[in-house]
Amino acid sequence: MSEKPSVLFVCVHNAGRSQMAAAWLTHLAGGRVEVRSAGSNPGDTVNPAAVEAMAEVGIDISSATPKILTVDALTESDVCITMGCGDTCPVFPGKRYLDWQLEDPSGQSVAAVRRIRDDIKFLVENLIKEILPEGSN
């Protein structure tokens, strides 16, 4: 891993889970991690329930836009975390891959998305402990 680790979050539409995960990591790591998100079949906009759920914890993702997964995004990342992509995410040797089993927030109420948001926060907090040296600022 480089001096500043990089993480790529991937879900199908890049409109919910991966956007929330990227926002949590950006927020909680305080600039110590390079963060990307993408989708294998990106949607047109970020899920409004995800935007609302993240706003409730003081994180604004209203200006985020879904992006297509590219080979460059994968090769430039130290860790690739998939969330319900199935086999659509290519695998490159030497990269670390994690698959987070998270419910899809698409079409769900804000109350349901809150639970997903909180599950993602827990996973991101554990990821930070793994990829950042103790006491790094």
Side-chain angles (χ1 to χ4, degrees):
M1 254 186 248
S2 63
E3 220 175 281
K4 186 175 185 178
S6 59
V7 176
L8 170 65
F9 294 102
V10 182
C11 67
V12 175
H13 300 298
N14 189 223
R17 294 167 287 192
S18 55
Q19 292 285 353
M20 290 190 287
W24 271 125
L25 183 55
T26 299
H27 178 76
L28 294 171
R32 297 174 292 160
V33 177
E34 188 176 335
V35 182
R36 297 178 182 87
S37 71
S40 54
N41 184 20
D44 294 326
T45 60
V46 173
N47 180 332
V51 172
E52 185 174 335
M54 292 302 287
E56 291 174 354
V57 293
I59 300 173
D60 182 9
I61 62 170
S62 62
S63 63
T65 56
K67 294 167 278 315
I68 186 74
L69 175 62
T70 65
V71 170
D72 286 346
L74 277 165
T75 58
E76 293 170 6
S77 299
D78 298 309
V79 180
C80 177
I81 299 173
T82 57
M83 306 170 182
C85 295
D87 295 330
T88 60
C89 186
V91 176
F92 291 92
K95 298 293 174 185
R96 180 176 176 202
Y97 291 86
L98 300 171
D99 185 46
W100 289 354
Q101 298 295 313
L102 294 160
E103 197 174 342
D104 187 349
S106 180
Q108 298 215 38
S109 68
V110 174
V113 175
R114 282 184 195 115
R115 288 188 300 274
I116 299 166
R117 173 202 67 201
D118 294 344
D119 289 345
I120 292 170
K121 180 183 181 193
F122 175 79
L123 291 166
V124 166
E125 288 170 336
N126 287 326
L127 176 69
I128 290 169
K129 291 174 189 172
E130 290 177 30
I131 65 173
L132 288 177
E134 201 61 38
S136 72
N137 289 330

